[in-house]
Amino acid sequence: MSDPTQNAQQKPGEVQTTGHAWDGDLQEYNNPLPRWWLWCFYGTMVFGVLYWIYFPSWPVGGSWLKGVGTVDYTITDKKTHQAKEQEYRWNTRSLLLSDLNEAANNEKRKTMLAQVRAASFDQIVKDPKMMEFVRSVGKGLFGDNCAACHGSGGQGVVGMYPNLTDNDWLWGGATGQIHETLVQGRKGFMPAFGAVLKPEQLDDVAEYVLTLSNEAKPSEASARGKEIFHGPVGGCYYCHGADAKGVPSQGAANLTDKIWAIADVPTQKTLQDKKAVVKTFVTKGVNNTRIMPAWKGRLNDDDIKLLAVYVHQLGGAQ
Amino acid sequence: MRHEHIETNSGLMILLILAVISIGGLVEIVPLFYINETVEKVEGVRPNTPLEVRGRDLYLREGCYLCHSQQIRPFRDEWLRYGHYSLAAESQYDHPFQWGSKRTGPDLARLGGKYSDQWHVQHLKAPRSVVPQSIMPNYPWLLTTKLDYSDVADRMRALRATGVPYSVTQAEYEANVKKFGQTVADQLDISQAEANLLKEARDKNFDGIAGQVTEMEALVAYLQSLGTMVNFSQYNDDEFVKFR
């Protein structure tokens, strides 16, 4: 074994080694750290100290260092509805508030929102600039809150969640009506007729319902069904209306068009199958299974207004 | 101590490494035990009902936390998408908390009330039947497996040991009445746990199957409670800035 200290005596122009030797002759230079690197290292230490001072940091005793940085923000007091300007020490929560109303693109949003807030539904619908705003904001809101049920484009799921793009409405398609749907939520209800009507009567009434939209031709059976529909036995007209075009205040469907929200008639091939789906539906009715949540409180008033107009234009509606 | 002595003695080295590493942890964590000021004072936060306790256990069992966080951070995009940022106070009875940071699916901290019970049942059974692009797994067994609630009282006792105010004695019950009101205090009474669980299941019928208590019942009950306890319309938006 060679003497590990042998190379430690530095010859001029040579770098010193650490003095160890492994496996006989394996040695390690002992270069000093490059100067630029050292300065960067000291720099991070200085940065660290300044960071502690400026931002909230260390816990001390029962509290913590609060930092010296500050943030300005404006909020609207929920009781007095007065806007108030505040300055508070920097933290992620105060920063959020300032982000919310001071980010550059927010200024544009704020003026547009103020316009939409002041305008009536009719004015919004007629104003291309406001509608552009409604479409861009509404799309995001719809995706985050409504798409899980109504589908990303509002096309819905037959039997479960209504299609919002077909301009056929259970609860009415005027902006005001849609707005009411969003604010208070909706709960579809139709009694189960399985216990009220006999199976033959259910057959008859199903046949009649299909004649309303020209799916079936009038027959003896449908004539009997008509009596049930418009008479005291079924009382269907009470909710669906004497013309069977639906009554929005009840959320009752229009039965005279080719659009079906729940009974999946269009995908059935034979008249027999079409009758079967209508009969099954009328037998079971709807109770507590088709719920549209209320959005008041969850979304703010502006968002609900924007969404009402957005949904209205999805249906391309009046 | 000589360097060589440590390097050639692995037992000693392990002990010293542990000592050095724990200093970092202790310095960061222990001081926080003495800070109460960061927990917001808000009304409405209560421990879970017995049915929700079981639902939460299922949430853990099924590994929902692997894809879903329950913490809305104070950023503008999260505020706009999910609603008010999460408060420390909201998870004060959550052991272990479900904050998480893995978001394969959306954050669930403000899920309660967003969808109907029916939607949850359908979505958990077959997510793609309502959200065609979803990559969330199917959980059909939740709807066909009877909920085992025989040990719900024990589970509440375990949570009580971690500081959740479920009550055993009359004095504890009365303290709960004072703090949360009668209705909630009744739900926190461990001796009534099973009866309360069955009553909530019967009254609200989350799974849509009358007369049966499935695992779905408990999970949906839990999901519908998430983020609903604090009424944020009572508080100005800057109410909570002083807690950070």
Side-chain angles (χ1 to χ4, degrees):
Chain A
M1 203 196 256
S2 60
D3 176 6
T5 59
Q6 173 190 318
N7 278 16
Q9 287 147 352
Q10 202 174 356
K11 293 179 195 129
E14 257 183 29
V15 183
Q16 206 177 352
T17 68
T18 52
H20 297 285
W22 291 270
D23 288 347
D25 57 354
L26 204 55
Q27 297 179 358
E28 202 181 356
Y29 282 134
N30 192 10
N31 276 313
L33 289 163
R35 187 145 297 187
W36 67 265
W37 191 95
L38 263 183
W39 282 116
C40 288
F41 179 60
Y42 296 142
T44 60
M45 289 183 177
V46 173
F47 178 81
V49 171
L50 293 178
Y51 196 90
W52 290 343
I53 296 169
Y54 195 75
F55 292 107
S57 56
W58 290 86
V60 273
S63 184
W64 71 97
L65 298 180
K66 306 270 158 99
V68 295
T70 56
V71 168
D72 300 313
Y73 58 83
T74 313
I75 61 154
T76 309
D77 190 285
K78 288 195 177 150
K79 288 206 187 71
T80 61
H81 301 286
Q82 299 280 310
K84 51 175 184 171
E85 280 180 35
Q86 299 273 38
E87 185 189 83
Y88 201 73
R89 65 163 192 270
W90 189 98
N91 64 37
T92 46
R93 292 178 176 183
S94 53
L95 189 66
L96 164 72
L97 291 171
S98 94
D99 271 0
L100 277 175
N101 51 29
E102 265 136 53
N105 61 345
N106 235 31
E107 282 303 326
K108 217 167 111 196
R109 189 183 158 108
K110 238 165 36 189
T111 36
M112 279 318 287
L113 260 186
Q115 267 189 47
V116 168
R117 201 177 296 148
S120 73
F121 285 124
D122 281 344
Q123 287 167 329
I124 301 173
V125 172
K126 287 201 190 98
D127 184 314
K129 236 179 107 202
M130 278 198 265
M131 281 311 284
E132 191 188 323
F133 178 69
V134 162
R135 266 188 288 270
S136 75
V137 179
K139 190 160 196 274
L141 283 170
F142 194 88
D144 287 344
N145 297 290
C146 325
C149 290
H150 292 288
S152 50
Q155 72 283 2
V157 180
V158 176
M160 292 195 279
Y161 307 110
N163 185 336
L164 303 177
T165 65
D166 58 11
N167 203 13
D168 188 39
W169 305 89
L170 297 162
W171 299 95
T175 32
Q177 288 165 310
I178 296 177
H179 188 255
E180 190 180 298
T181 297
L182 298 188
V183 168
Q184 62 184 35
R186 300 289 195 192
K187 212 172 192 177
F189 172 75
M190 170 166 142
F193 284 92
V196 180
L197 301 177
K198 298 194 199 71
E200 312 85 77
Q201 291 177 305
L202 286 166
D203 277 324
D204 293 345
V205 87
E207 180 118 9
Y208 172 66
V209 166
L210 287 174
T211 62
L212 291 169
S213 50
N214 288 328
E215 292 283 356
K217 294 203 174 62
S219 63
E220 252 173 62
S222 76
R224 289 194 298 272
K226 185 173 181 180
E227 241 164 70
I228 297 168
F229 193 98
H230 294 281
V233 186
C236 316
Y237 72 98
Y238 173 72
C239 297
H240 288 282
D243 56 1
K245 290 215 163 108
V247 176
S249 63
Q250 301 282 331
N254 181 349
L255 302 177
T256 63
D257 58 16
K258 295 272 182 201
I259 296 171
W260 297 82
I262 312 167
D264 193 7
V265 170
T267 61
Q268 310 301 321
K269 300 225 163 53
T270 66
L271 182 60
Q272 219 49 36
D273 291 346
K274 291 182 186 193
K275 235 170 85 176
V277 289
V278 174
K279 184 179 169 187
T280 312
F281 173 74
V282 176
T283 307
K284 284 200 283 190
V286 177
N287 190 8
N288 251 339
T289 51
R290 289 172 48 89
I291 295 168
M292 159 78 183
W295 295 89
K296 176 138 186 103
R298 190 170 186 102
L299 298 176
N300 66 40
D301 295 349
D302 295 335
D303 289 348
I304 294 181
K305 188 165 183 183
L306 285 167
L307 267 172
V309 182
Y310 179 78
V311 170
H312 175 81
Q313 61 88 40
L314 268 187
Q318 293 318 304
Chain B
M1 209 178 297
R2 297 269 303 285
H3 212 264
E4 191 177 341
H5 183 63
I6 301 173
E7 278 184 4
T8 53
N9 191 337
S10 39
L12 179 64
M13 183 142 94
I14 289 173
L15 281 180
L16 290 174
I17 289 175
L18 284 178
V20 171
I21 292 177
S22 54
I23 291 173
L26 290 173
V27 166
E28 275 183 27
I29 296 165
V30 171
L32 296 176
F33 295 165
Y34 300 98
I35 297 184
N36 279 329
E37 292 169 51
T38 50
V39 183
E40 307 83 0
K41 313 269 176 301
V42 284
E43 277 171 38
V45 181
R46 58 158 176 82
N48 287 326
T49 67
L51 189 62
E52 290 160 6
V53 166
R54 286 302 286 125
R56 190 175 178 286
D57 292 340
L58 294 171
Y59 185 89
L60 300 186
R61 185 192 77 187
E62 301 296 353
C64 311
Y65 58 85
L66 293 168
C67 290
H68 293 287
S69 59
Q70 286 187 24
Q71 184 198 27
I72 301 164
R73 296 169 295 186
F75 300 145
R76 181 166 168 264
D77 54 330
E78 304 215 358
W79 173 280
L80 294 178
R81 174 166 181 188
Y82 298 119
H84 201 290
Y85 52 77
S86 298
L87 303 180
E90 288 181 287
S91 26
Q92 59 185 307
Y93 302 127
D94 222 13
H95 298 288
F97 61 77
Q98 295 302 308
W99 301 339
S101 57
K102 183 77 179 79
R103 285 182 177 168
T104 304
D107 187 276
L108 301 183
R110 302 250 170 264
L111 182 68
K114 184 178 179 193
Y115 301 126
S116 57
D117 300 344
Q118 291 78 15
W119 185 86
H120 282 299
V121 172
Q122 181 70 29
H123 180 253
L124 287 167
K125 197 171 68 174
R128 272 153 299 282
S129 67
V130 278
V131 184
Q133 318 85 332
S134 181
I135 54 160
M136 178 164 139
N138 299 343
Y139 295 92
W141 56 86
L142 294 172
L143 205 51
T144 50
T145 314
K146 242 187 109 226
L147 180 70
D148 176 8
Y149 48 80
S150 58
D151 57 358
V152 63
D154 287 340
R155 288 169 187 269
M156 288 163 77
R157 254 175 238 119
L159 285 168
R160 179 170 171 271
T162 69
V164 183
Y166 291 117
S167 65
V168 173
T169 64
Q170 183 65 20
E172 284 170 355
Y173 171 77
E174 273 154 23
N176 279 346
V177 173
K178 223 182 245 148
K179 187 161 179 201
F180 301 109
Q182 174 95 34
T183 336
V184 173
D186 286 345
Q187 289 284 339
L188 306 184
D189 183 350
I190 295 184
S191 66
Q192 298 300 315
E194 208 170 302
N196 281 333
L197 182 147
L198 290 172
K199 183 168 184 315
E200 186 176 359
R202 193 174 57 238
D203 290 352
K204 307 213 180 126
N205 193 16
F206 292 99
D207 59 2
I209 309 175
Q212 246 195 66
V213 186
T214 62
E215 293 191 334
M216 186 69 88
E217 187 102 61
L219 185 55
V220 174
Y222 171 64
L223 295 178
Q224 291 289 31
S225 76
L226 292 177
T228 57
M229 293 177 191
V230 178
N231 177 2
F232 284 101
S233 66
Q234 287 179 11
Y235 302 101
N236 275 332
D237 288 344
D238 67 343
E239 180 81 22
F240 306 111
V241 297
K242 50 182 180 283
F243 296 94
R244 283 291 173 277

